[in-house]
Amino acid sequence: MEHYSLLREFADSWMLLALFVFFVGVIAWAFRPGSTSAYERTRTIPFRHDDKPMAPATGAPARTREPRT
């Protein structure tokens, strides 16, 4: 039982602090100045090719499809 108590104390104190610091670091990294331009391309992925399907890699024109209703 001594081993469990030691690990429990470690998890309650220092591991909690370490994970909190890691969480704050990840949030700071995501919202740092200049990250807007870095994530702009990734942010718009769901909205690409909304009007028409993506052209195939062969360079042939994309086929048209029925409009969404």
Side-chain angles (χ1 to χ4, degrees):
M1 210 50 157
E2 184 64 33
H3 186 67
Y4 173 79
S5 298
L6 180 67
L7 289 177
R8 179 70 185 179
E9 287 180 30
F10 178 73
D12 284 344
S13 58
W14 294 107
M15 191 55 69
L16 178 64
L17 179 65
L19 289 176
F20 178 73
V21 169
F22 177 75
F23 175 76
V24 170
V26 167
I27 297 300
W29 178 262
F31 291 108
R32 72 188 188 281
S35 67
T36 303
S37 60
Y39 297 127
E40 180 66 29
R41 187 172 177 215
T42 307
R43 183 175 66 92
T44 59
I45 286 174
F47 304 110
R48 290 184 194 161
H49 311 294
D50 198 29
D51 299 346
K52 58 186 177 187
M54 184 175 72
T58 60
R63 297 181 193 161
T64 58
R65 60 181 175 184
E66 295 179 1
R68 297 179 186 165
T69 56

